[in-house]
Amino acid sequence: MTKVIFNGYLGRMGRTVVPVLDSAEGIEVVAVCDIASNEDTHTLPSGKVVPAFNDLKTALDNSDPTVYVDFTAPAALEGSLRTVLPYGVNCVIGTTGTSPETYAELYKLAPAGTTLFCAPNFTLGAVLMMSFARQAAAYFADVEVIEFHHNGKADAPSGTAITTARQMAAIRKEAGVSSESPGAESELEYKGARGGNVDGVPVHAVRASGFVSSQEVVFASPGEILRIVHDNNDLSAYLPGILLAVRSVEERSGLIIGLEELLDL
């Protein structure tokens, strides 16, 4: 049985994911945590009552989880991992905004055999979109990324956009394709109009109510344009990937970045 402690259960993703974990075969939610929690216990949809905490160390000391799931905030994640990893609890991280270099440094805190899994996006469509973008990256003169999220998202650009841009930039460099698109020098009066520069790839982040998450990768060469678009209109799209990650981490070890690593893409 996979025993899960979920951090961020009062948040937007927490309210969606915890009920699914509660009903999933082979998974048991043993505790929930949220910095904003003011309750000692929390009743899951199944009727099971689990302890609730607003302090992560206290939660770990008073539960016996095998998997830690985090959907909190970028500013809190590093501190949370510094708390969790020494316990040897396998981690599934859905909170974005942390660099691979930081994850690699934090993983040194974990005992051998522990898994630290993080994904910029848990939807199958987004993983395939990034895979297609990598395939196309070496064949076009220009590339830009435009991502759209709800206006409550805490980080910009999104982890998916950053990962997509970095992966494409690496492929373009290897292929000898310049990733230098017109940048700040073309911004006359309105700075930032060209978006953020991620390894030479312009990335534009839109934040507006009505969106869940969408991303468009635009490739262009003289005479042709290729657009790869992924739209996510409901949080339910994340659930199969999250369940796959929770069920997989106990069978693996090490630092794993990206759902594609679990899908053999």
Side-chain angles (χ1 to χ4, degrees):
M1 180 68 72
T2 297
K3 298 181 179 181
V4 171
I5 179 170
F6 193 100
N7 194 10
Y9 79 99
L10 294 177
R12 191 165 177 263
M13 286 299 296
R15 294 192 299 270
T16 300
V17 178
V18 170
V20 173
L21 295 175
D22 178 45
S23 64
E25 184 178 352
I27 296 175
E28 179 186 4
V29 178
V30 296
V32 292
C33 185
D34 196 295
I35 193 172
S37 178
N38 60 6
E39 55 184 358
D40 296 324
T41 60
H42 180 71
T43 303
L44 301 172
S46 65
K48 178 183 177 181
V49 178
V50 297
F53 303 90
N54 56 23
D55 178 75
L56 184 54
K57 187 176 189 307
T58 304
L60 292 165
D61 287 338
N62 289 275
S63 60
D64 187 28
T66 57
V67 174
Y68 168 76
V69 181
D70 188 296
F71 281 88
T72 56
L77 181 60
E78 182 173 342
S80 295
L81 287 177
R82 289 188 180 279
T83 299
V84 175
L85 286 171
Y87 282 80
V89 178
N90 301 297
C91 298
V92 173
I93 307 301
T95 304
T96 57
T98 299
S99 70
E101 294 78 14
T102 299
Y103 278 123
E105 190 64 29
L106 290 169
Y107 183 71
K108 296 175 183 179
L109 299 171
T114 305
T115 301
L116 171 55
F117 173 81
C118 51
N121 199 303
F122 280 93
T123 65
L124 178 60
V127 172
L128 289 171
M129 177 260 304
M130 288 188 282
S131 177
F132 300 152
R134 290 194 298 272
Q135 293 179 53
Y139 298 101
F140 289 84
D142 300 300
V143 60
E144 304 207 12
V145 178
I146 310 168
E147 56 98 345
F148 307 79
H149 280 82
H150 57 91
N151 54 14
K153 184 169 174 57
D155 56 323
S158 70
T160 301
I162 293 170
T163 300
T164 305
R166 284 177 170 167
Q167 290 178 350
M168 292 191 302
I171 289 170
R172 290 166 70 80
K173 181 179 180 180
E174 184 177 344
V177 181
S178 173
S179 285
E180 291 303 321
S181 295
E185 72 280 358
S186 66
E187 297 171 349
L188 299 180
E189 187 174 351
Y190 300 99
K191 300 301 180 183
R194 291 291 297 125
N197 185 306
V198 180
D199 292 353
V201 177
V203 177
H204 310 265
V206 177
R207 296 291 176 267
S209 56
F211 288 105
V212 176
S213 69
S214 299
Q215 180 167 297
E216 179 176 1
V217 186
V218 182
F219 296 95
S221 285
E224 66 174 330
I225 295 172
L226 171 66
R227 292 184 175 94
I228 302 173
V229 180
H230 174 252
D231 293 326
N232 172 13
N233 298 314
D234 191 90
L235 294 181
S236 61
Y238 295 109
L239 300 176
I242 294 169
L243 285 172
L244 172 63
V246 170
R247 287 179 166 138
S248 299
V249 289
E250 291 182 278
E251 302 168 358
R252 300 175 181 246
S253 64
L255 172 61
I256 303 173
I257 299 177
L259 192 64
E260 64 271 17
E261 298 296 328
L262 306 182
L263 296 168
D264 297 322
L265 290 177

